[in-house]
């Protein structure tokens, strides 16, 4: 008998979800995490009186209690529904470019149409058709297309997924251009590009459209206690079901026998036998480093060559000694930029020489005051940045470089939200190197590989060269919270399914 | 592709596949990325540093500076004020203690740790009396957020130091001098007796040489010949030597009693939380005196700790769980040993545990029973998950 029915490497969102699903499904599962806490990106840390959310800005896919959406069902199936509390956000975002626009989109399709019709009357009649398209695209991408594809008949795809066929792989800029003229309106509607890390012309429209519609219809959510609360709840559910977990215990090798998974060796030298491994570590690390015979990875390594490294982030975690109201903000999610040009903003992510042109100011205490001591606020101020921007920064210059860039980021935020600096009580600066340290990802990437059209799941073929080795997480699908929870649950589910077939 | 892919009906599918093939021509298989990640992380934040004691300097009768040289050459950079956690084996017990680095950050060949012997201590007496030149030790990488932060600390800095709490202060002073930073730095340094003053000569020299530095020394148990300031650091003294405090940033590092007393005095002279940075101090000296400690439980009361699946042992309620675990031969990762860094996080499966205010617990860790073992006390028999 094997030591475990399954071993999960990494306790990020996908690893936790896979582990909880497997153990609750009756497979004896070992979860290995190199860090001392579950969550990966989905974590928090405490400084002084403040607890800082590391990564979650807005949780998507939950839906309301009355109208639950997919993620609520997934969480139900993993047994965490009564372990977590959520706070609904009533706005998608504020989009502010001084001298150009300052507008807030409410969290409803109707509300968005009303607000934008008033601000852009000349284009009012195109808003509904546009948002309708986002809606049907969501349904087609997630429901109709997978079914149609399974039939193997191209005509069925054409017939049942008309919008997906036409718009699914087009770039977001193109589609916005097709509908609208006003560049400011297009920039406002494209505001979420930053959540995917690529400018509109490189993003598949289906991803942007789905995101916009999903947040509007299913609402953006905060989690009480932050995403760490979700991570802790998933782990709790896993432990309650009898799972074994080891922290401070990285996996060092996946041992194979005849091209199939046989065991996992930890950094402490222990060896655990198993036939099933789910790796939540990056695919790069899994196939190039962990696998005992990297040559087994064959096709995967070919696939790597057509991939590009994804983006990381530069984040200031701020504890402010004032309320959101004192700062003049009413909305948690604030995109602040000095240009509506997303390509110019993205270009700054590649270098430390200039200054950020766009950023995201998320104030978690809007809507949930319990996150900070009374009268105070917790903020994450973030801009996109690639790990490569830090390649030539020497260790001895690291601190000075990060502080200097932090100053520029605060300067940008202050063009819309004045006197942030004066209110700082606690501050922690995280760079792509910080992400790299805590996630063990190449380039400190936070969504896995770049999320461009050529990386889209629709155009990629699934390669799984090693029997019993499964990947789950941002490196083998879409990055972000909702996708990675779902990926873990689905990988766990399909392993269970096969196992049960064998047994039955 | 031999057969036409059914996905070709999607607009842009064929073009995107062609683009993928182009990308593959110029791309890479990332074979070296894993090693790059490791090297990069180790150069900034190594998990462990292998060190050799290359020199020992007597500072006072009870204090000495350990010079630790990196076995792998240049040591990782740090910010003046940060600490390393020093791993040692004392009386067969594998344990560790955090110490601020007293050398300048510009010095990359070694870290100096200035250690004062605490009467009745477990590790400090051994470091001050037992450690020999040539000994091998290991430490964590530099850590902690007690440093001069250029973003919001401003340029008018005051440091209140007591005893070996002068260690991070002298590193800051050396750093400011080396980088010629445009700040003012006022060190108010309290010692018990004149013989206890650490770095006396260097401080006087720096005071004379550096315009940015003001030095105020205070002795609490002076001998008859002593002519300088005497007593404790209090509101009156702070106001007298510093003037208006509202716009100054204050760092405070001394023994626990001094930190508590000075924090109060500083509030009285108008220093807000925002402008006050207090270095962590280790577990509370007397946890039973803290609010929330269960009545009827004495510090010396015996309790049994069961480690899930790994046996059990006896300890006392007043002993931090981390120390108890180490003495019983269990290993738990740790660094600050003061409740802040969360590395020593363990889960309480059953039983009662007291978490003092030092424990900077996440909201959801509290909810699911995770504690910081370095400052957690078993006040009944407990079962834990390591
Ligand atoms: C600052 C920031 C902001 C973000 N903002 C958003 C946002 O607003 N919305 C959104 O949807 N997404 C956001 N993300 C991205 C999102 O958090 C991630 O895409 C997602 O959490 C990735 O989940 P994952 O399952 O792939 O695992 P990861 O979080 O990458 O976790 C992988 C885990 O595996 C562990 N591991 C790695 N190697 C080993 C090994 N050899 N042995 C054992 N363990 C190992 C790691 O320690 C880690 O815990 C953000 C991320 C960051 C950092
Ligand atoms: S060792 Fe840092 S919190 Fe316990």
């Amino acid at each position: 008998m094997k030591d475990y029915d399954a071993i999960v490497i990494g306790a990020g969102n996908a690893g936790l979800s896979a582990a909880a699903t497997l153990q609750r499904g009756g497979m004896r599962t070992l979860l290995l995490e190199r860090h001392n806490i579950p969550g990966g990106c989905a974590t928090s840390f405490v400084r002084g009186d403040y607890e800082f959310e590391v990564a979650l800005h807005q949780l998507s896919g939950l839906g309301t209690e009355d109208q639950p959406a997919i993620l609520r069902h997934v969480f139900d199936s993993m047994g965490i529904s009564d372990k977590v509390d959520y706070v609904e956000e009533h706005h998608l975002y504020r989009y502010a470019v001084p001298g150009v626009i300052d507008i807030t989109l409410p969290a409803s399709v109707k509300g968005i149409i009303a607000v934008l019709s008033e601000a852009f009357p000349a284009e009012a009649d195109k808003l509904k058709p546009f948002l309708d398209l986002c809606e049907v695209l969501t349904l087609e991408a997630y429901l109709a297309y997978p079914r149609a594809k399974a039939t193997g008949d191209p005509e069925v795809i054409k017939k049942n997924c008309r919008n997906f066929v036409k718009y699914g792989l087009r770039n977001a800029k193109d589609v916005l251009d097709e509908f609208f003229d006003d560049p400011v309106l297009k920039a406002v509607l494209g505001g979420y590009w930053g959540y995917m890390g690529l400018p509109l012309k490189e993003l598949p429209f289906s991803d942007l459209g789905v995101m916009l519609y999903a947040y509007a219809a299913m609402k953006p959510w905060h989690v009480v206690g932050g995403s760490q609360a979700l991570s802790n709840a998933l782990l709790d559910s896993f432990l309650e079901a009898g799972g074994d977990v080891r922290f401070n215990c990285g996996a060092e090798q996946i041992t194979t026998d005849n091209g199939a998974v046989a065991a996992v060796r930890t950094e402490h030298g222990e060896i655990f036998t198993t036939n099933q491994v789910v790796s939540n570590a990056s695919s790069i690390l899994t196939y190039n480093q962990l696998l005992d015979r990297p040559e087994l990875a064959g096709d995967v390594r070919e696939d790597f060559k057509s991939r590009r490294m994804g983006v990381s982030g530069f984040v200031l975690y701020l504890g402010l000694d004032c309320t959101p109201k004192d700062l003049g903000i009413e909305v948690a999610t604030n995109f602040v930029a000095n240009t509506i040009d997303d390509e110019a903003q993205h270009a700054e992510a590649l270098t430390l020489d200039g200054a950020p042109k766009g950023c995201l100011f998320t104030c978690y205490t809007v809507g949930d005051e319990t996150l900070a001591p009374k009268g105070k606020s917790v903020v994450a101020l973030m801009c996109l940045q690639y790990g490569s921007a830090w390649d030539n920064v020497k260790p001895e210059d690291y601190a000075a470089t990060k502080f200097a860039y932090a100053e520029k980021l605060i300067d940008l935020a202050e063009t819309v939200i004045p006197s942030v600096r004066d209110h700082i009580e606690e501050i922690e600066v995280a760079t792509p190197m910080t992400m790299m340290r805590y996630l063990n990802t190449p380039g400190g990437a936070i969504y896995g590989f770049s999320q461009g059209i050529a990386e889209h799941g629709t155009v990629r073929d699934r390669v799984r060269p090693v029997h019993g080795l499964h990947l789950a997480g941002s490196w083998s699908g879409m990055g972000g919270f909702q996708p990675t929870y779902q990926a873990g649950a689905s990988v766990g589910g399909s392993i269970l399914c096969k196992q049960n077939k064998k047994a039955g | 592709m031999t057969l036409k892919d059914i996905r070709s009906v999607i607009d842009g599918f064929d073009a995107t596949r062609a683009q993928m093939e182009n990308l593959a021509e110029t791309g890479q298989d990332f074979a070296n990325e894993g090693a790059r990640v490791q090297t990069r992380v180790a150069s900034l934040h190594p998990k462990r540093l292998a060190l050799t004691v290359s020199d020992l300097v007597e500072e006072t009768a009870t204090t000495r500076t350990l010079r630790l040289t990196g076995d792998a050459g240049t040591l990782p950079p740090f910010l003046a004020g940060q600490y390393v956690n020093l791993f040692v084996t004392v009386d067969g017990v594998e344990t560790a203690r955090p110490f601020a680095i007293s050398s300048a950050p510009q010095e990359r060949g070694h870290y100096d740790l200035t250690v004062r012997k605490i009467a009745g201590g477990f590790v400090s007496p051994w470091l001050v009396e037992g450690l020999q030149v040539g000994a091998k030790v290991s430490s964590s990488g530099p850590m902690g957020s007690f440093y001069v932060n250029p973003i919001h600390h401003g340029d008018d800095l005051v440091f209140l130091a007591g005893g070996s709490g002068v260690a991070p202060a002298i590193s800051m002073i050396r750093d400011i001098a080396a980088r010629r930073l445009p700040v003012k730095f006022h060190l108010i340094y309290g010692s018990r007796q004149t013989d206890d003053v650490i770095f006396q000569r260097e401080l006087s020299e720096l005071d004379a040489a550096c315009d940015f530095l003001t030095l105020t020394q205070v002795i609490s148990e002076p001998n008859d010949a002593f002519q300088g300031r005497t007593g404790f650091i209090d509101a009156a003294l702070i106001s007298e030597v510093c003037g208006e405090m509202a716009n100054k940033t204050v760092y405070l590092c001394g023994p626990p009693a001094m930190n508590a007393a000075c924090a109060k005095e500083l509030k009285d002279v108008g220093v807000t939380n925002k402008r006050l940075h207090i270095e962590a101090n280790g577990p509370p000296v007397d946890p039973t005196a803290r609010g929330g400690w269960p009545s009827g439980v004495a510090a010396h009361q015996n309790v049994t700790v069961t480690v899930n699946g790994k046996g059990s042992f006896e300890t006392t309620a007043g002993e931090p769980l981390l120390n108890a675990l180490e003495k019983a031969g269990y290993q738990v990762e740790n660094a600050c040993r003061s409740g802040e860094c969360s590395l020593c996080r363990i889960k309480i499966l059953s039983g009662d545990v007291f978490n003092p205010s030092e424990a900077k617990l996440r909201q959801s860790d509290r909810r699911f029973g995770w504690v910081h073992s370095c400052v957690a006390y078993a006040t009944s028999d407990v079962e834990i998950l390591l």
Side-chain angles (χ1 to χ4, degrees), chain A residues 32 246 249 264-272:
Chain A
L32 298 174
R246 302 218 175 182
C249 187
V264 173
R265 190 181 75 216
T266 72
E267 62 177 307
H268 307 300
E270 304 132 300
I271 294 173
F272 298 104

Side-chain angles (χ1 to χ4, degrees), chain A residues 176-251:
Chain A
L176 284 164
D177 287 343
E178 179 184 315
F179 276 81
F180 306 104
D181 296 317
D182 191 324
V184 179
L185 174 58
K186 289 186 266 191
V188 173
L189 282 167
Y192 274 139
W193 70 269
Y195 278 13
M196 285 159 287
L198 281 180
L200 294 164
K201 73 162 198 244
E202 293 178 48
L203 277 184
F205 177 68
S206 50
D207 286 357
L208 180 79
V210 167
M211 185 175 278
L212 192 60
Y213 174 73
Y215 276 128
M218 295 170 248
K219 315 297 169 196
W221 295 84
H222 281 280
V223 182
V224 175
S227 57
Q228 184 68 60
L230 274 170
S231 306
N232 278 350
L234 283 167
L235 182 77
D236 203 58
S237 179
F238 172 71
L239 292 174
E240 273 175 3
D244 282 348
V245 64
R246 302 218 175 182
F247 291 110
N248 299 304
C249 187

Side-chain angles (χ1 to χ4, degrees), chain A residues 36, chain B residues 83 85 98 143 322 332-345 358-361 371-376:
Chain A
N36 76 322
Chain B
Y83 69 87
N85 193 27
M143 313 190 43
L322 174 63
V332 182
E333 192 60 33
N334 65 87
C336 72
R337 303 181 77 97
S338 309
E340 294 193 337
C341 74
S342 163
L343 280 181
C344 63
R345 182 179 177 272
E358 279 82 352
K360 300 293 180 202
L361 295 176
V371 302
H372 295 174
S373 60
C374 64
V375 293

Side-chain angles (χ1 to χ4, degrees), chain B residues 297-377:
Chain B
V297 178
H300 59 264
Q301 179 174 316
N302 284 335
V303 291
T304 303
V305 178
T306 305
V307 185
N308 184 287
K310 296 179 193 160
S312 66
F313 62 90
E314 287 249 305
T315 182
T316 55
E319 176 102 63
L321 271 170
L322 174 63
N323 295 8
L325 283 159
E326 287 172 341
K327 286 182 186 165
Y330 296 89
Q331 251 128 63
V332 182
E333 192 60 33
N334 65 87
C336 72
R337 303 181 77 97
S338 309
E340 294 193 337
C341 74
S342 163
L343 280 181
C344 63
R345 182 179 177 272
I346 62 170
K347 185 174 166 80
I348 307 300
L349 298 171
S350 67
D352 301 325
V353 164
F354 173 69
N355 297 304
S357 57
E358 279 82 352
K360 300 293 180 202
L361 295 176
R362 299 170 179 91
Q363 217 184 107
S364 63
D365 276 354
R366 245 179 238 283
R367 173 164 178 180
F368 290 101
W370 294 85
V371 302
H372 295 174
S373 60
C374 64
V375 293
Y377 300 83

Side-chain angles (χ1 to χ4, degrees), chain B residues 154-165:
Chain B
D155 56 9
D156 201 351
L157 316 175
V158 176
F159 195 121
L160 309 192
S164 60

Side-chain angles (χ1 to χ4, degrees), chain A residues 36-37 44 51 83 165 232 288 301 305 308 390-391 395-396 422 424 427 433 458-461, chain B residues 7 9 11 17 23 26-27 29-30 36 40 77 108 152 274 342-343 345 362-365 367:
Chain A
N36 76 322
I37 187 162
S44 67
E51 178 167 353
K83 297 182 194 288
V165 162
N232 278 350
N288 286 343
R301 296 180 59 173
K305 291 185 186 162
R308 293 295 179 267
W390 291 81
D391 279 353
E396 56 268 35
D422 292 343
I424 299 175
I427 180 170
M433 299 299 104
T458 309
V459 297
R460 292 279 162 173
D461 301 321
Chain B
R7 293 172 291 181
V9 294
D11 284 358
R17 291 289 282 206
L23 283 166
T26 53
D29 64 5
F30 302 110
R36 274 187 62 190
R40 190 70 180 150
R108 295 286 301 285
H152 66 307
K274 183 165 86 174
S342 163
L343 280 181
R345 182 179 177 272
R362 299 170 179 91
Q363 217 184 107
S364 63
D365 276 354
R367 173 164 178 180

